[in-house]
């Protein structure tokens, strides 16, 4: 009977093969017909448009040319090919071709996974500061110590660009020296000067958030005082081109306070100060700076400094500006009001080891020996605990031998137990085990073999992905016990970590770079064109977008709501800018947005500002931003010989609209291809000016035409239509979101062999309406996140001992 069943099964298998093979051949023929009819004319060996020769690629062997076919899929998904204006297949042909190609590539990837091989990870500047905060409870002003990091694929945590230069090494040495001294409380810490600028674009004619009620202008600073010591606090005030402090016609009471307790109150301005300023502006300036100088004893640790003016009733002068508008004054004018320019804190002077425990000392000194015979045991306990966190793994005997040697050297040279701990901590912070994350290949791994990374390496991948910091004790404990790789436990840890406040690092570091929010600091709108843009508005833009992304994350909402949400976060300043009534105060409130043009991230002033030029909007920049960050398409750089967009001359009689100028620009064949894709996207947002305010007329006073036709033939008119066109195909935006987040999580650029993983994550996320946590969970469970490809014979294996 068994033999009969086997024969029957064999016949069935053969029969199915006979049926399937012609069907596959028929499919290949149908898709080849599409390629021959719409693609091959340009993408062939002779013309080689887009560096693609489809006549050399075999549809029967798709996986052999996976890299090229993934590029084709990207173009077909957005219907960017054939080019606009050329004959195109119908939607069914687009869908059939795309789905079939994806099935072929995804099936091969499932059977032959390639997780990639990231390089050697170095702590970038942001991560370094975050790790110091989490290990030592110490906020480090890292910008003054380490140079900025390079970016690649849109992020600054990409392993391949994290080289170690001499300048960077010196920065890490300086940081380790400074951090260890301040954290322990070294009484020999030398005086230094910290500068806190106050932008002259910041309105100072009103109450500012974070300052005491009944005040106006000034600034609030959180400063870490390293020792119990005397410190000098100096104030500088806004002047003009002849170096005279402005606004001295009227008396103003200036207050300096520490932790809410006043340490100085002095009057600036009035007849005497004004007359001296008119006679000798330099002497007047020195006199006021001397009168506002504060020399005060302060205990070690974080303290809040507030420097502000007591609010006065009545107008200071007839030309005082309306609230929220920055002052634009003649550089030689002596009018306006007294305003703070910058603050410096100097010290410590006559410093002593902190008598009261500081946050960083509490994080370090888990024990304190009462006699010298117990110092070694206590030092071992302290340094092993710090090293375990810093090295992100259990500590070995050889680790402690090195650290205890440094403890003994420091103990002898400084003569104190704290001095020994300080030098031991400094050694921890300079260790390659701290500065680098190296994922070692198994000793017996074959070249290019795919293997699962260790639980400890997984813990670090997870914590730097979600927290931009080191794993906490719970993660290390699970990893050391080899339990973290258990799927159920891993899922629980992701939930826990997303609920932790440290996950806000995703807002600052992932969303901040993906949406280009970090570029807000360098945005410089022209004060003549946009007189109402100031630091208050810049800060509000960033806060709105950060709170908005955070709400999607913390409330586990569908990521598609980044585009479609009917709410945002506004304070009075931003609400007035957007023309929204009923919002008062400096605190941000969650507000329902009824204007469809303003809904979602595309209506945020942050995005609209960073995609504009200082003096005008840029449909091209906005279109490029949408294409790359929302639709996920790569936009090539313009040719070197393409001229810039022609501007309207200041004395021109016939003013051309932006649409008319770009139409002339597209007459250049080298420009037309890209502009046909980008311009309709950018024009849809053209009714937002260069700082995100809604308008009906452009900079030249001409009516704005926000209509256009997308690459897939969809007509749109304005931001609401654009948003709907994108939202109607949610999988495209979710694919972009997933690709960006996977790039950030892996610390490497995505390759063609990663795209099946991206599609799998999107498919799984669809089951939960594309909710945020689902995408994060699927990334963490994915092959690229949990596995790695061993070095090939040409790759060099790196050992931390060699660094």
């Amino acid at each position: 009977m068994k033999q009969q069943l086997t024969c029957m099964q064999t016949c069935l298998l053969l029969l199915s093969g006979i049926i399937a093979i012609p069907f596959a051949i028929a499919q290949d023929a149908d898709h080849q017909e599409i390629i021959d009819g719409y693609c091959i004319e340009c993408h062939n060996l002779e013309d080689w448009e887009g560096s693609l020769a489809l006549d050399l690629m075999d549809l029967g062997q798709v996986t052999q040319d996976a890299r090229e076919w993934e590029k084709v899929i990207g173009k077909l998904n957005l219907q960017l090919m054939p080019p606009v204006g050329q004959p195109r297949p119908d939607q069914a042909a687009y869908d059939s071709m795309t789905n079939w190609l994806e099935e072929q590539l995804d099936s091969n990837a499932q059977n032959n996974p390639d997780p990639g091989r990231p390089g050697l990870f170095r702590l970038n500047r942001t991560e370094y500061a975050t790790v110091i905060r989490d290990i030592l409870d110490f906020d480090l002003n890292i910008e003054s110590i380490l140079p900025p990091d390079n970016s690649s694929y849109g992020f600054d945590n990409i392993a391949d660009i994290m080289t170690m230069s001499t300048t960077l090494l010196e920065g890490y040495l300086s940081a380790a020296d400074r951090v260890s001294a301040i954290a322990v409380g070294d009484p020999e810490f030398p005086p230094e000067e910290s500068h806190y600028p106050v932008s002259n674009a910041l309105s100072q004619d009103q109450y500012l958030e974070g300052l005491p009620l009944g005040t106006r202008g000034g600034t609030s600073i959180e400063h870490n005082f390293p020792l119990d010591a005397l410190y000098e606090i100096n104030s500088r005030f806004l002047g003009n081109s002849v170096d005279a402090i402005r606004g001295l016609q009227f008396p103003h009471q200036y207050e300096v306070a520490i932790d809410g307790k006043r340490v100085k109150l002095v009057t600036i301005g009035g007849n005497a100060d004004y007359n001296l300023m008119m006679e000798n502006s330099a002497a007047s300036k020195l006199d006021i700076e001397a009168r506002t100088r504060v020399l005060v004893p302060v205990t070690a640790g974080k303290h809040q400094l507030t420097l502000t003016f007591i609010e006065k009733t009545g107008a200071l002068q007839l030309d005082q500006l309306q609230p929220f508008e920055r002052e634009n004054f003649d550089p030689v004018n002596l009018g306006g009001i007294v305003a703070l320019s910058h603050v410096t804190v100097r010290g410590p002077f006559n410093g002593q080891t902190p008598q009261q425990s500081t946050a960083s000392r509490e994080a370090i000194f888990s024990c304190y020996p009462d006699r010298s015979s117990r110092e070694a045991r206590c030092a071992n306990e302290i340094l092993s605990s710090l090293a375990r966190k810093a090295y992100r793994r259990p500590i070995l005997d050889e680790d402690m031998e090195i650290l205890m040697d440094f403890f003994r050297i420091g103990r002898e040279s400084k003569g104190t137990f704290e001095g020994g701990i300080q030098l031991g901590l400094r050694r921890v912070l300079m260790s390659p085990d701290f500065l680098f994350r190296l994922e070692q290949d198994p000793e017996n791994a074959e070249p290019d073999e795919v293997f699962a990374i260790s639980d400890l390496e997984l813990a670090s991948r997870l914590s730097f992905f979600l927290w931009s910091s080191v794993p906490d004790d719970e993660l290390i404990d699970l990893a050391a016990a080899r339990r973290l790789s258990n799927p159920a436990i891993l899922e629980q840890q992701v939930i826990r970590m997303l609920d932790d406040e440290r996950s806000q690092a995703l807002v600052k570091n992932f969303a901040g770079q993906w949406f280009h929010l970090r570029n807000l600091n360098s945005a410089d709108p022209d004060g003549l064109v946009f007189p109402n843009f100031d630091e208050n508005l810049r800060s509000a833009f960033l806060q709105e977008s950060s709170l908005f992304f955070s709400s999607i994350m913390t409330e586990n909402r569908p990521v598609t709501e980044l585009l479609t949400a009917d709410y945002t976060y506004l304070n009075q300043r931003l609400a007035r800018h957007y023309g929204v009534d009923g919002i008062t105060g400096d605190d941000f409130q969650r507000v329902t947005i009824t204007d469809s043009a303003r809904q979602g991230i595309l209506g945020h002033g942050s995005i609209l500002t960073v995609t504009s030029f200082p003096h005008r909007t840029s449909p091209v920049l906005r279109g490029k931003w949408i294409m790359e960050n929302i639709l996920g398409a790569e936009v090539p750089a313009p040719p070197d010989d393409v001229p810039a967009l022609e501007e309207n001359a200041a004395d021109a009689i016939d003013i051309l609209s932006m649409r008319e100028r770009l139409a002339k620009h597209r007459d250049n064949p080298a420009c037309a291809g890209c502009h046909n894709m980008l311009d309709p996207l950018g024009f849809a947002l053209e009714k937002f000016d260069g700082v995100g305010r809604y308008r009906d007329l452009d900079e030249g006073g001409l009516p704005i035409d926000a209509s256009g036709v997308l690459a897939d033939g969809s007509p749109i008119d304005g931001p609401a239509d654009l948003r709907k066109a994108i939202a109607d195909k949610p999988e495209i935006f979710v694919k972009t979101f997933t690709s960006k987040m996977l790039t950030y999580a892996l610390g490497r650029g995505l390759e063609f062999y990663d795209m099946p993983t991206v599609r799998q994550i999107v498919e799984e996320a669809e089951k939960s309406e594309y909710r945020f946590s689902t995408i994060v969970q699927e990334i963490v469970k994915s092959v690229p996140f949990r596995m790695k490809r061993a070095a090939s014979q040409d790759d060099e294996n790196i050992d931390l001992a060699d660094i």
Side-chain angles (χ1 to χ4, degrees):
M1 183 68 178
K2 284 185 178 179
Q3 186 177 4
Q4 289 178 338
L5 288 173
T6 301
C7 291
M8 184 178 295
Q9 290 170 341
T10 303
C11 290
L12 288 172
L13 288 172
L14 288 172
L15 182 59
S16 64
I18 291 171
I19 295 173
I21 291 172
F23 178 69
I25 292 173
Q27 277 202 314
D28 288 355
D30 291 342
H31 298 134
Q32 188 65 56
E33 185 178 342
I34 295 174
I35 291 174
D36 291 343
Y38 299 98
C39 310
I40 207 77
E41 181 179 352
C42 298
H43 300 290
N44 56 70
L45 181 59
E46 183 177 351
D47 295 309
W48 213 48
E49 287 288 335
S51 303
L52 183 65
L54 293 174
D55 54 345
L56 299 182
M57 295 161 58
D58 184 0
L59 278 181
Q61 301 290 332
V62 169
T63 56
Q64 290 184 356
D65 299 298
R67 185 191 303 272
E68 286 71 22
W69 286 121
E70 287 291 357
K71 294 178 182 177
V72 170
I73 289 172
K75 299 290 186 182
L76 294 179
N77 273 330
L78 297 175
Q79 296 189 16
L80 299 177
M81 289 292 164
V84 176
Q86 297 295 319
R88 291 186 161 209
D90 58 21
Q91 187 63 49
Y94 270 110
D95 293 341
S96 174
M97 187 78 191
T98 303
N99 293 338
W100 182 76
L101 285 173
E102 290 178 347
E103 288 171 3
Q104 301 296 307
L105 296 172
D106 293 352
S107 176
N108 179 68
Q110 188 173 7
N111 297 325
N112 303 283
D114 185 349
R117 182 176 175 79
L120 177 65
F121 293 99
R122 170 182 56 78
L123 294 185
N124 66 23
R125 188 166 74 169
T126 298
E127 291 168 343
Y128 189 97
T130 307
V131 170
I132 295 300
R133 179 202 68 192
D134 290 346
I135 293 178
L136 300 175
D137 200 3
F138 169 41
D139 291 324
L140 178 65
N141 182 16
I142 195 66
E143 288 81 3
S144 63
I145 302 175
L146 296 180
D149 294 290
N150 294 324
S151 292
S152 182
Y153 300 98
F155 299 103
D156 62 6
N157 66 340
I158 304 301
D160 289 343
I161 61 170
M162 291 185 176
T163 56
M164 178 64 85
S165 64
T166 303
T167 301
L168 193 57
L169 180 59
E170 291 175 351
Y172 281 127
L173 285 167
S174 176
D177 190 31
R178 176 181 169 79
V179 168
S180 58
I182 295 178
V184 171
D186 182 2
E188 298 177 1
F189 190 83
E192 61 179 9
E193 187 169 272
S194 300
H195 295 264
Y196 296 96
V198 181
S199 172
N200 60 14
L202 184 67
S203 296
Q204 293 196 42
D205 57 353
Q206 57 174 316
Y207 164 73
L208 296 178
E209 185 178 3
L211 291 169
L213 293 174
T215 64
R216 64 98 185 150
T219 188
S220 179
I221 301 164
E222 185 178 74
H223 183 76
N224 191 62
F225 294 84
L227 299 171
D228 293 351
L230 285 173
Y231 294 89
E232 185 180 275
I233 304 170
N234 295 289
S235 303
R236 300 291 183 265
F237 301 93
L238 197 62
N240 57 22
S241 61
V242 295
D243 207 29
I245 295 176
R246 63 187 181 88
L248 296 181
Q249 299 95 319
F250 305 97
H252 309 270
Q253 287 188 299
Y254 182 64
E255 176 188 83
V256 179
I258 300 178
D259 295 332
K261 182 178 180 180
R262 178 184 292 169
V263 295
K264 188 147 195 173
L265 182 67
V266 61
T267 299
I268 303 172
N271 290 334
D273 282 343
Y274 183 74
N275 291 334
L276 177 59
M277 181 269 299
M278 295 296 291
E279 295 172 4
N280 189 331
S281 62
S284 169
K285 181 179 179 182
L286 290 174
D287 176 65
I288 288 177
E289 290 175 354
R291 281 156 45 198
T292 55
R293 182 176 298 121
V294 176
L295 187 64
V296 60
V298 186
T299 58
K302 299 175 188 175
H303 295 279
Q304 198 74 26
L305 302 182
T306 54
L307 307 97
T308 185
F309 299 90
I310 306 300
E311 189 176 30
K312 299 173 66 174
T313 58
L316 292 177
Q317 56 189 59
L318 295 177
D319 62 347
Q320 181 157 341
L321 298 166
Q322 293 298 316
F324 311 131
E325 292 180 347
R326 71 176 173 186
E327 298 185 48
N328 290 287
F329 54 90
D330 186 326
V332 298
N333 184 16
L334 302 178
I337 57 177
V338 177
L340 194 61
S341 173
H342 68 272
V343 177
T344 60
V345 179
R346 297 181 65 232
F349 302 106
N350 301 324
Q352 301 177 15
T353 300
Q355 299 301 303
Q356 297 180 349
S357 182
T358 63
S360 59
R361 283 175 64 87
E362 286 184 5
I364 293 171
F365 292 103
S366 57
C367 61
Y368 201 90
D370 56 0
R371 54 181 179 269
S372 59
S373 61
R374 298 182 179 179
E375 286 187 355
R377 178 181 296 180
C378 181
N380 191 292
E381 176 185 322
I382 290 172
L383 293 176
S384 63
S385 175
L386 292 172
R388 185 177 190 266
K389 296 174 183 176
Y391 299 170
R392 308 171 286 278
R393 58 170 173 79
I395 298 306
L396 308 175
D397 290 341
E398 48 263 42
D399 296 320
M400 292 312 303
E401 288 176 6
I402 295 172
L403 296 180
M404 289 303 293
D405 281 344
F406 274 81
F407 165 76
R408 284 186 283 269
I409 294 170
R411 175 69 175 84
E412 182 177 350
S413 64
K414 287 187 172 288
T416 63
F417 175 76
E418 289 95 335
I421 296 298
Q422 179 181 337
L423 195 59
L425 173 58
R426 186 183 182 193
R427 177 61 179 84
V428 168
L429 299 180
M430 278 308 301
S431 170
D433 291 275
F434 171 65
L435 295 174
F436 295 92
R437 287 192 290 132
L438 177 62
E439 298 168 346
Q440 294 280 14
D441 293 357
E443 291 184 4
N444 58 349
E446 297 290 333
D448 293 321
E449 178 185 343
V450 172
F451 63 92
I453 61 175
S454 72
D455 279 45
L456 287 168
E457 292 166 345
L458 179 60
S460 283
R461 279 198 181 190
L462 192 58
S463 66
F464 279 96
F465 169 31
L466 299 181
W467 290 347
S468 295
S469 186
V470 291
D472 60 4
D473 288 337
E474 184 171 336
L475 269 180
I476 294 177
D477 288 343
L478 287 170
R482 298 183 180 179
R483 298 177 59 207
L484 183 59
S485 55
N486 180 299
I489 292 177
L490 185 60
E491 182 175 345
Q492 292 169 2
Q493 287 301 305
V494 172
I495 294 172
R496 177 182 74 88
M497 295 176 74
L498 285 175
D499 286 340
D500 192 287
E501 184 179 357
R502 283 170 285 188
S503 66
Q504 288 296 309
L506 284 172
V507 179
K508 181 180 179 181
N509 301 327
F510 170 63
Q513 294 183 83
W514 174 30
F515 286 150
H516 298 185
L517 299 181
R518 288 187 179 182
N519 295 356
L520 264 176
N521 287 332
S522 58
D524 189 25
D526 189 318
L528 295 177
V529 181
F530 306 108
N532 295 328
F533 183 87
D534 60 13
E535 295 302 309
N536 298 305
L537 189 58
R538 188 196 307 272
S539 175
F541 282 162
L542 179 60
Q543 185 78 337
E544 176 194 20
S545 297
S546 298
L547 288 171
F548 178 63
F549 185 89
S550 179
S551 72
I552 299 294
M553 179 178 73
T554 56
E555 298 170 22
N556 194 24
R557 303 178 76 89
V559 298
T560 50
E561 290 192 15
L562 287 167
L563 291 174
T564 63
D566 64 352
Y567 70 89
T568 192
Y569 292 84
L570 305 176
N571 64 357
Q572 184 176 354
R573 173 70 180 95
L574 190 53
R576 174 176 173 175
H577 185 72
Y578 287 168
V580 176
D581 297 327
I583 307 299
T584 59
D586 293 313
D587 293 336
F588 277 77
Q589 310 168 39
R590 185 164 174 156
V591 177
T592 299
I593 299 296
T594 57
D595 181 3
S596 60
R598 186 66 72 178
Q599 292 172 348
I601 194 71
L602 295 180
H604 283 209
S606 59
I607 306 301
L608 298 164
T609 300
V610 299
T611 56
S612 295
F613 289 127
H615 62 294
R616 63 166 173 83
T617 61
S618 174
V620 178
L621 288 182
R622 288 177 176 177
K624 182 176 186 291
W625 186 90
I626 293 170
M627 187 67 74
E628 292 181 337
N629 296 286
I630 301 298
L631 301 178
E634 183 178 349
V635 179
D640 294 334
D641 57 348
V642 172
L645 181 67
E646 184 178 342
E647 301 283 357
N648 284 314
D651 57 351
I653 298 176
D654 295 326
I655 301 295
L656 298 181
S657 68
M658 179 64 69
R659 182 177 290 271
E660 290 169 331
R661 280 182 281 157
L662 276 174
K664 290 179 63 178
H665 193 67
R666 282 196 302 272
D667 287 342
N668 186 333
C671 305
C674 285
H675 280 281
N676 286 335
M677 295 186 297
L678 301 179
D679 293 356
L681 300 171
F683 279 128
L685 302 180
E686 186 64 2
K687 286 203 171 183
F688 293 116
D689 71 10
V691 292
R693 180 174 284 183
Y694 199 80
R695 62 183 184 170
D696 291 312
L697 303 177
D698 66 13
E699 289 87 353
L702 300 174
I704 294 172
D705 179 2
S707 64
V709 178
L710 299 182
D712 65 359
S714 303
I716 58 171
D717 190 355
D721 280 1
L722 173 63
R723 184 178 301 105
K724 183 178 184 305
I726 299 173
D728 282 347
K729 298 177 180 177
E731 68 282 353
I732 292 177
F733 173 69
V734 178
K735 180 183 176 183
T736 303
F737 178 92
T738 302
S739 297
K740 296 290 185 180
M741 181 167 273
L742 186 59
T743 298
Y744 177 81
L746 297 177
R748 67 169 175 83
L750 299 191
E751 302 290 346
F752 67 93
Y753 48 75
D754 295 307
M755 301 321 295
T757 296
V758 172
R759 289 190 285 269
Q760 181 182 3
I761 294 171
V762 173
E763 184 178 343
E764 288 298 317
E766 184 181 12
K767 300 173 184 177
S768 69
E769 299 179 314
Y770 305 116
R771 295 193 180 273
F772 188 94
S773 69
T774 304
I775 295 176
V776 173
Q777 291 280 10
E778 291 300 319
I779 286 175
V780 171
K781 290 191 299 185
S782 70
V783 166
F785 193 85
R786 297 186 59 180
M787 305 187 79
K788 185 178 178 181
R789 178 174 15 96
S792 67
Q793 293 179 343
D794 297 330
D795 290 331
E796 181 181 358
N797 257 320
I798 302 173
D799 193 318
L800 287 181
D802 299 328
I803 296 176

